[in-house]
Amino acid sequence: MNINIVPLPEDRQKPLFKNILDVPFGSMFTDRMFLMEYNKPEGWHSPTIKPLENLSLHPGCLVLHYGQEIFEGLKAFYGKNNKIILFRPEMNIKRFNRSAERMCMPELDENDVMEAIKNLIKLEKRWVPNQRGASLYIRPTMIASEVGLGVRASKDYLFYVILSPVGPYYKEGFNPIGLYVTKDYIRAAKGGVGEAKTGGNYAASLYAGEIAHKKGYSQVLWLDAQERKYVEEVGAMNIFFAFRNRIVTSPLTGSILGGITRDSVLKISNDLGIEAVEKQLSIDEIIRGIESGEITEIFGTGTAASISPVGHLSYNDRKYIINDGKVGPLSQKLYNFLLDLQYGEIEDKYNWLTYID
Ligand SMILES: *Cc1c(COP(=O)(O)O)cnc(C)c1O
């Protein structure tokens, strides 16, 4: 791929953050973006890295009306010896293509996407925060850019990558958050698009999210759409329940987003002497487990928040406290190990790291 690089005028360089921990998640962007276009005769063409700027879109283009959009989220870490590290980026690129297929969008060449990300980050290296717990969040996005008000798949698309230096996802940092269980609303049903990272899933979740926020909870814990019985995920994170030394997460049933952090936790647990299983759990089992003390910890997993301990949850207007509202030992152990891996501080024995030279 031959990327056209539009130079950034010296005076367009934005001032860096002073303290990344004071910057709300995803509110600050770097100086440049990657952009590439698609149409039927040419396929993907004109890959460009240029100063970050607004897109110019016709108000009738398909993404704005029917939501044909997909995205990814991955991170670059400032590792040992000033090395910039990507964590399992090939997994994000593969998932992006799976999302594209589900949303009738054109797939991308995996190597091209990797090259786009690497080249962009090389140019934006000064934006990767040199601090544990902070990183450069990478947001590849594809939108339907053809104009039309008839419901159909677009013939034209834009693919772009923007970068955002970030600290912790939740204002709580690595402190337990509260989850709100709802039976009134659902996130995704089997046969729908819950498995794809597509904008509509998040738009559909906002209403219940607002209810949760008003009641003082960070996120909604979603139940399955059919029976409203089995716990699925948290809408930006997958969810694990610890029964002492055994951690349990839902299998990928078709309505859950298959997280890369989820997959990593399942794989590293064994090596940390933790038993990890994929098994459906009903909300009743979970409530009983919390009440009996059998459930010793709950935590979410996702790129944005890495491991996010859960201190309490609300179900049927009752509040249930987990592990006295404190960070539990398994959450702490997995968090430390995952970060050690991501920042290149321990041996990369899974071969998960991609270094940007
Ligand atoms: C992105 C996302 C996750 C977490 O996936 P990771 O690959 O671990 O970042 C979980 N659930 C939903 C709905 C998501 O969009």
Side-chain angles (χ1 to χ4, degrees):
M1 187 173 53
N2 206 346
I3 305 176
N4 174 33
I5 297 182
V6 181
L8 181 76
E10 278 287 317
D11 59 5
R12 282 253 349 231
Q13 283 217 348
K14 287 183 246 175
L16 275 185
F17 45 85
K18 286 203 180 67
N19 181 355
I20 190 61
L21 303 184
D22 294 335
V23 179
F25 186 92
S27 64
M28 183 180 238
F29 294 90
T30 70
D31 296 303
R32 297 172 179 86
M33 68 193 290
F34 174 90
L35 180 70
M36 176 155 81
E37 295 168 41
Y38 178 94
N39 60 30
K40 275 272 149 74
E42 290 174 280
W44 287 110
H45 63 94
S46 311
T48 306
I49 290 176
K50 59 179 187 175
L52 180 80
E53 62 182 22
N54 292 348
L55 299 173
S56 174
L57 293 174
H58 187 288
C61 77
L62 285 161
V63 63
L64 300 177
H65 300 269
Y66 308 124
Q68 208 187 0
E69 184 265 2
I70 57 168
F71 67 94
E72 264 305 324
L74 64 158
K75 280 176 168 177
F77 301 91
Y78 200 110
K80 252 185 157 168
N81 308 323
N82 305 328
K83 291 226 171 83
I84 309 296
I85 302 172
L86 299 174
F87 184 71
R88 308 186 78 185
E90 61 288 341
M91 296 283 281
N92 294 89
I93 297 170
K94 286 199 165 78
R95 187 169 67 189
F96 194 67
N97 274 338
R98 286 200 304 277
S99 297
E101 189 189 6
R102 180 65 181 82
M103 301 305 290
C104 301
M105 301 169 95
E107 290 182 21
L108 283 141
D109 182 292
E110 288 177 24
N111 294 324
D112 285 353
V113 180
M114 188 71 91
E115 215 186 304
I117 291 172
K118 278 186 174 176
N119 279 289
L120 182 61
I121 292 176
K122 259 187 228 173
L123 288 166
E124 298 291 64
K125 199 172 166 180
R126 72 183 187 105
W127 287 96
V128 185
N130 181 3
Q131 189 174 339
R132 194 173 163 106
S135 57
L136 186 66
Y137 187 77
I138 306 160
R139 173 52 62 89
T141 310
M142 195 197 301
I143 60 171
S145 53
E146 195 196 345
V147 177
L149 297 183
V151 178
R152 62 187 160 77
S154 177
K155 289 202 274 296
D156 306 332
Y157 296 89
L158 294 178
F159 169 69
Y160 57 83
V161 182
I162 51 178
L163 306 173
S164 175
V166 297
Y169 186 71
Y170 296 110
K171 64 173 181 351
E172 288 87 345
F174 185 64
N175 286 309
I177 59 163
L179 295 181
Y180 179 76
V181 183
T182 176
K183 278 200 158 174
D184 297 330
Y185 303 97
I186 57 151
R187 172 185 173 273
K190 283 193 189 63
V193 293
E195 271 183 325
K197 241 175 153 69
T198 182
N201 285 330
Y202 307 86
S205 73
L206 294 177
Y207 194 85
E210 288 296 302
I211 295 172
H213 293 157
K214 278 201 196 98
K215 293 182 186 268
Y217 294 82
S218 297
Q219 288 216 357
V220 175
L221 177 58
W222 299 102
L223 303 178
D224 75 284
Q226 272 90 347
E227 296 185 67
R228 315 245 168 134
K229 179 175 171 191
Y230 296 103
V231 169
E232 296 224 310
E233 62 156 308
V234 189
M237 301 191 297
N238 298 109
I239 188 91
F240 284 79
F241 300 88
F243 296 77
R244 306 211 183 282
N245 201 41
R246 187 167 63 104
I247 58 173
V248 181
T249 192
S250 172
L252 300 177
T253 56
S255 45
I256 297 175
L257 197 290
I260 292 156
T261 320
R262 172 188 179 280
D263 183 77
S264 306
V265 163
L266 287 172
K267 293 198 165 111
I268 61 186
S269 287
N270 278 332
D271 285 342
L272 296 180
I274 302 165
E275 187 195 346
V277 282
E278 298 175 72
K279 182 170 140 317
Q280 282 201 310
L281 285 175
S282 73
I283 185 67
D284 292 332
E285 280 175 88
I286 286 161
I287 296 299
R288 275 202 306 274
I290 296 171
E291 286 188 316
S292 70
E294 251 189 303
I295 291 187
T296 42
E297 288 174 56
I298 302 178
F299 59 88
T301 63
T303 296
S306 64
I307 305 287
S308 184
V310 177
H312 59 279
L313 58 83
S314 146
Y315 179 59
N316 283 344
D317 287 325
R318 273 197 60 188
K319 182 171 171 177
Y320 298 87
I321 313 266
I322 302 111
N323 193 37
D324 288 331
K326 297 199 199 81
V327 178
L330 297 191
S331 313
Q332 186 72 58
K333 200 166 167 182
L334 286 161
Y335 176 82
N336 291 349
F337 191 78
L338 188 63
L339 266 68
D340 283 349
L341 260 176
Q342 291 174 329
Y343 288 88
E345 280 168 20
I346 51 175
E347 192 206 331
D348 175 25
K349 66 176 193 179
Y350 307 99
N351 207 7
W352 282 347
L353 306 188
T354 294
Y355 286 89
I356 296 181
D357 37 50

